[in-house]
Amino acid sequence: MRRTLLAAAGAVFVAVAGPAAAEPIPPWCLKAHMGRGWTVDLCYFRTFAQCNRERFNYGTTSFCIVNPDYYFRYGEPDIVPRKTTRATSR
């Protein structure tokens, strides 16, 4: 009786939980220098601009790179070029 109850509870738990949804891999990582030669890869940025803004919190030697997992699965991420405006003199 006890085994049957545990098996039924386990089956209900598996049925409710279901398969986990796969999170897409973010394309940008911040190589953050923490001091004394210690670096950390923070790989949760969706755009280069987000990564670049966060970079200033970790000092001038930190930089943004393409997430290696993203690159080997999907290729180079899209980078939106900067919009430049030219003043026309007449």
Side-chain angles (χ1 to χ4, degrees):
M1 178 74 179
R2 191 177 204 181
R3 286 185 189 173
T4 307
L5 184 60
L6 288 174
V12 168
F13 177 74
V14 170
V16 170
E23 286 288 323
I25 298 172
W28 295 100
C29 291
L30 173 64
K31 181 79 77 173
H33 289 264
M34 306 304 280
R36 297 186 183 186
W38 185 44
T39 61
V40 176
D41 290 340
L42 305 173
C43 297
Y44 53 81
F45 299 102
R46 296 280 170 215
T47 64
F48 180 79
Q50 288 175 340
C51 181
N52 201 26
R53 279 193 303 268
E54 185 77 15
R55 179 175 67 91
F56 292 106
N57 295 334
Y58 294 96
T60 58
T61 57
S62 299
F63 55 94
C64 297
I65 60 171
V66 175
N67 187 344
D69 293 334
Y70 183 90
Y71 182 78
F72 289 118
R73 287 185 189 199
Y74 306 112
E76 195 71 33
D78 295 331
I79 300 175
V80 178
R82 289 185 182 178
K83 293 182 180 179
T84 58
T85 58
R86 292 187 179 188
T88 57
S89 59
R90 289 188 181 198

